[in-house]
Amino acid sequence: MKNYTRFLKFINPHLGIFFLAIICMILSTIFGASPIGMIIPLVDTIIAGKAISIPNGVILPPFAVDLIKHINAMPKIELLNIMAVGLLVMFFLKELFMFFQTYLMADVSQRIVRDIKNSIYKKLLDLSLDFYNHNPTGQLMSRITYDSTVIRDAISSGVADTFYQPIQMVIYLALLIGVKFYFNISWKLILIGTVILPLILYPVVKIGKKLRRISRESQEKVADINNMLLETISSIKLVKAFNMEEYETNRFKGKNQNFYKLDMKSIKRMKIVSPITEAMAVLCVTLIIWIAGKSILDGTLSAGAFAAFLAAIFSMMKPVKKLSSVYGINQQAMAAMERIFQILDTPITVKEKETVVPFNSFEKEITFNNVFFKYDNKKAHILKNISFTVKKGEIVALVGPSGSGKSTVVNLLPRFYDPGKGSIKIDGVDIRDVGLKSLREKIGMVTQETLLFNDSVRENISYGHEINEEQMIRVAKSANAHMFIRDFPEGYDTIIGERGLKISGGQRQRIAIARALYKNPPILILDEATSQLDTESEKLVQEAINKLMAGRTVIAIAHRLSTIIHADRIIVVDNGEIIDSGSHNELLERSTLYKKLYHMQFEIGASTIGDIV
Ligand SMILES: Nc1ncnc2c1ncn2[C@@H]1O[C@H](COP(=O)(O)OP(=O)(O)OP(=O)(O)O)[C@@H](O)[C@H]1O
């Protein structure tokens, strides 16, 4: 229920259209119900040839008495003509308002789904990185694509009917009660109509609860399937290299089959609702016809009154039946909504404080003070007591075996994660006290995976900033990228990435370096790629990196000998701790681990890189 009311809040901004749709619903129902009133003169006056009589004891308003008298006095053929035209007009108006009702409701549902998608997307981008460690991409995508579609379908049919059908029921009930009083129909008939009929809803509610559980499961299965698709398609080379096509096909078949079974379970339940409600309805109607039939035989009920009463009861049945199927759809939507709220409610771990210290320029130093850190799902500390200082303009290189925690150290600086204990300060101010935006503006990152968007070279280089053609070409030249970009079919407008032009690893790196140069941050985090490029390409990348580092404060996860040699200080990290620091020569003399790393990583690198130092 809480989720339902919360969901209704999404309607708030579109209340205007929503109410307009409701008004159209009411009008359409009224025009749909009015012809029932015509049944009385049709049956009593035209078919049975009797005048409409006012039962004893019934007091009608004068205009109704006049109307009845007028109808009784009218030639039958004229009455029939009027009724035929009336029916046509009513039908036309009913359908017209029905069209506006469905159109406006569909508009509301599309708007709500659009808003929900926007909210999820914004939330996803605001969420801290730890969230992504335990939420696979495919599953998150399925929230935006599949779950929101379930909700859209539920709104356009569900929400509309949730309001529309009760309105219909009330109007038909009013009509029924009007007919009851007018013709003095026994309460027994009314009770059967109004009490037993809604009982039909009981099995429906029961089934609805089950549907919600199944729906939750099947939404998880869809998320699973999406995730698998994403993984295998993006790793298609790996699948082919290991001849895993058949294995992956079978894995997919398995997941798909499970989804099919679950979907059928839900379809079975959705579809069983209709025969159950049908059977109950037939039972009620038979009972009513039987009781009413006896009254007609007794002469206490006119055929016209009976026909009007029966029509009102039948009309009421439609909304009851409709409501029962809507309940199932709403249950599915609620399951989808629960999953969406789960994301919307996930706390953001790395948050900005309400009042932040201004951070306009970087002046002095970055300090890590006794920093401890662990990833949320792991018990052991990944970083232990990390303390070091980087003065403005210094280049500090982090070296250490794979998995020792180097990337984790640098990820703490732009606050991708916050330390558990200890602090990181820039110019003496804890980075948790400054605005996230102003902090990240000051930091540039060039990482091992050179991430480029499927967009033009121009957009990739200027990402997040206004495009200044001159500056862009200048940075591209510095990054040794201008030459090859110029040779692309559409120069800086060439689309690169997944669906665009494929470019080499070295070219990607140089575009990423141009992007960092364009941002022009005072602090640079450099996570050098371990993969070796060919000599020529490596030389170009190296030159570009040197230009990028010039005049900046750099923390580099070093894999290149040249970075090591250029560094003012080298920090050796092992198993999450700093075990030594100093210059290249000092460390070569006293650190066994550094010596080992040097011989393994840098010497080999140097021999292939050639004369870059
Ligand atoms: N997102 C994460 N969630 C949980 N554990 C992680 C995560 N990222 C890294 N780790 C773990 O933290 C430890 C340090 O990883 P980190 O990536 O910082 O090492 P590294 O020294 O940069 O390694 P490499 O040189 O291979 O990139 C490793 O044991 C790794 O398994």
Side-chain angles (χ1 to χ4, degrees):
M1 197 60 200
K2 199 175 117 245
N3 279 346
Y4 205 84
T5 43
R6 211 172 145 191
F7 164 67
L8 289 179
K9 281 200 187 131
F10 276 100
I11 301 183
N12 269 352
H14 315 296
L15 273 185
I17 309 177
F18 186 72
F19 281 126
L20 210 58
I22 301 269
I23 290 172
C24 291
M25 262 179 203
I26 297 173
L27 288 175
S28 151
T29 313
I30 290 176
F31 287 117
S34 307
I36 294 176
M38 293 190 185
I39 291 176
I40 303 167
L42 180 75
V43 176
D44 275 357
T45 317
I46 298 173
I47 300 175
K50 284 191 290 182
I52 306 173
S53 59
I54 302 169
N56 283 343
V58 174
I59 300 160
L60 287 180
F63 82 90
V65 178
D66 286 349
L67 187 69
I68 291 174
K69 278 186 190 156
H70 187 72
I71 292 175
N72 284 342
M74 219 181 247
K76 278 181 195 152
I77 185 70
E78 196 184 321
L79 185 62
L80 189 64
N81 290 343
I82 290 175
M83 278 174 52
V85 173
L87 267 177
L88 282 178
V89 171
M90 303 267 187
F91 178 78
F92 172 76
L93 289 175
K94 175 193 163 218
E95 290 302 318
L96 184 74
F97 285 111
M98 179 69 111
F99 162 76
F100 282 119
Q101 183 274 108
T102 27
Y103 176 80
L104 293 172
M105 237 359 147
D107 189 18
V108 171
S109 73
Q110 296 289 358
R111 281 165 190 259
I112 291 175
V113 169
R114 179 197 64 193
D115 295 352
I116 290 177
K117 281 184 182 172
N118 284 344
S119 312
I120 308 177
Y121 188 66
K122 177 170 188 323
K123 179 72 185 200
L124 284 179
L125 293 198
D126 285 345
L127 275 164
S128 322
L129 281 187
D130 53 349
F131 171 81
Y132 290 89
N133 290 340
H134 34 83
N135 285 289
T137 320
Q139 285 190 7
L140 296 176
M141 281 169 56
S142 104
R143 299 282 210 285
I144 291 210
T145 51
Y146 180 76
D147 291 3
S148 58
T149 317
V150 172
I151 293 171
R152 186 198 61 208
D153 295 345
I155 302 171
S156 55
S157 60
V159 173
D161 279 332
T162 310
F163 286 87
Y164 184 43
Q165 303 309 337
I167 289 175
Q168 286 213 351
M169 277 174 72
V170 169
I171 291 177
Y172 287 125
L173 191 66
L175 186 77
L176 189 71
I177 291 178
V179 169
K180 183 238 159 332
F181 280 109
Y182 178 67
F183 291 106
N184 215 0
I185 293 172
S186 104
W187 274 113
K188 226 188 312 178
L189 286 184
I190 305 293
L191 278 181
I192 292 169
T194 52
V195 178
I196 302 185
L197 219 51
L199 279 186
I200 296 173
L201 290 180
Y202 179 74
V204 171
V205 172
K206 278 248 153 231
I207 291 172
K209 290 227 167 79
K210 280 222 176 73
L211 270 176
R212 187 164 180 165
R213 191 178 46 75
I214 296 173
S215 183
R216 221 174 285 147
E217 267 178 60
S218 70
Q219 278 154 18
E220 264 153 38
K221 291 255 173 329
V222 171
D224 248 18
I225 290 179
N226 270 355
N227 205 41
M228 185 178 166
L229 277 177
L230 193 81
E231 276 179 4
T232 41
I233 292 175
S234 57
S235 314
I236 189 72
K237 263 194 206 158
L238 185 76
V239 174
K240 288 193 178 295
F242 281 79
N243 283 328
M244 292 296 271
E245 291 94 330
E246 202 179 320
Y247 168 80
E248 294 295 352
T249 308
N250 287 336
R251 205 155 70 98
F252 185 78
K253 263 190 198 159
K255 283 187 191 286
N256 219 6
Q257 175 67 11
N258 284 344
F259 177 65
Y260 154 78
K261 278 196 202 150
L262 212 59
D263 232 19
M264 283 317 292
K265 240 181 171 178
S266 128
I267 289 171
K268 189 168 74 191
R269 281 173 176 75
M270 294 273 267
K271 298 298 168 198
I272 195 88
V273 167
S274 181
I276 289 180
T277 48
E278 205 73 39
M280 301 270 290
V282 165
L283 200 76
C284 290
V285 171
T286 316
L287 211 69
I288 290 167
I289 293 181
W290 184 70
I291 296 173
K294 280 208 309 193
S295 305
I296 294 178
L297 290 179
D298 293 350
T300 47
L301 194 67
S302 85
F306 174 65
F309 174 74
L310 213 57
I313 285 278
F314 269 121
S315 307
M316 259 185 80
M317 218 147 58
K318 203 178 115 219
V320 171
K321 271 169 53 187
K322 202 74 200 237
L323 264 183
S324 58
S325 65
V326 163
Y327 187 75
I329 296 173
N330 279 353
Q331 291 303 306
Q332 287 185 332
M334 277 302 110
M337 216 54 221
E338 271 167 29
R339 286 156 48 86
I340 284 171
F341 284 141
Q342 243 174 32
I343 293 189
L344 296 181
D345 292 343
T346 308
I348 299 172
T349 46
V350 175
K351 265 198 299 218
E352 195 171 79
K353 288 198 173 154
E354 293 212 340
T355 46
V356 292
V357 178
F359 176 34
N360 299 323
S361 61
F362 170 51
E363 300 294 343
K364 286 202 295 281
E365 61 186 19
I366 301 165
T367 49
F368 276 65
N369 309 298
N370 312 99
V371 168
F372 284 79
F373 175 79
K374 58 179 166 189
Y375 288 102
D376 57 352
N377 51 349
K378 298 219 168 158
K379 287 214 173 73
H381 276 110
I382 296 290
L383 298 182
K384 285 156 272 185
N385 209 17
I386 298 283
S387 294
F388 66 93
T389 300
V390 185
K391 294 247 176 281
K392 184 176 178 179
E394 272 188 343
I395 298 175
V396 167
L398 297 178
V399 298
S402 176
S404 56
K406 303 176 299 285
S407 303
T408 310
V409 170
V410 296
N411 280 340
L412 296 183
L413 190 57
R415 289 192 69 199
F416 290 155
Y417 303 93
D418 278 336
K421 271 194 277 176
S423 65
I424 301 163
K425 293 182 175 170
I426 296 184
D427 293 344
V429 180
D430 194 315
I431 54 172
R432 282 169 292 202
D433 293 335
V434 301
L436 262 183
K437 237 183 171 169
S438 64
L439 171 71
R440 289 178 184 164
E441 256 169 19
K442 310 281 181 305
I443 301 170
M445 286 191 103
V446 175
T447 55
Q448 296 203 13
E449 331 146 65
T450 36
L451 302 171
L452 299 179
F453 286 100
N454 180 36
D455 207 335
S456 66
V457 176
R458 188 187 306 278
E459 294 292 339
N460 267 291
I461 292 181
S462 66
Y463 186 59
H465 298 86
E466 295 235 332
I467 299 176
N468 176 328
E469 206 67 21
E470 220 177 283
Q471 192 191 345
M472 187 179 60
I473 294 178
R474 199 173 53 240
V475 296
K477 280 183 177 161
S478 295
N480 284 336
H482 181 65
M483 300 277 273
F484 73 81
I485 296 172
R486 213 184 38 192
D487 291 342
F488 283 162
E490 286 165 72
Y492 282 86
D493 291 320
T494 311
I495 303 290
I496 44 172
E498 271 231 331
R499 281 183 291 128
L501 187 79
K502 297 284 174 281
I503 56 173
S504 76
Q507 289 174 333
R508 291 180 76 84
Q509 285 188 21
R510 281 179 274 158
I511 290 185
I513 292 166
R515 180 168 61 195
L517 276 165
Y518 195 87
K519 185 178 179 185
N520 196 21
I523 300 165
L524 177 71
I525 292 170
L526 186 64
D527 189 353
E528 290 181 338
T530 37
S531 61
Q532 293 294 325
L533 301 168
D534 64 66
T535 318
E536 181 58 26
S537 188
E538 176 63 37
K539 200 172 166 186
L540 292 170
V541 169
Q542 187 60 57
E543 262 177 30
I545 286 181
N546 288 346
K547 281 189 208 152
L548 177 62
M549 290 203 292
R552 289 178 223 279
T553 308
V554 183
I555 302 180
I557 298 175
H559 291 290
R560 290 188 174 89
L561 186 57
S562 105
T563 314
I564 290 285
I565 303 288
H566 282 125
D568 295 292
R569 205 151 11 96
I570 300 159
I571 293 174
V572 187
V573 183
D574 189 23
N575 199 16
E577 287 177 279
I578 296 182
I579 57 161
D580 212 337
S581 76
S583 71
H584 172 62
N585 289 334
E586 282 167 7
L587 289 172
L588 262 190
E589 250 176 48
R590 66 165 186 252
S591 167
T592 333
L593 178 62
Y594 184 75
K595 230 181 289 173
K596 201 170 118 197
L597 288 169
Y598 172 72
H599 289 305
M600 269 167 50
Q601 292 185 7
F602 306 115
E603 250 187 0
I604 300 166
S607 65
T608 52
I609 294 164
D611 60 344
I612 53 161
V613 189

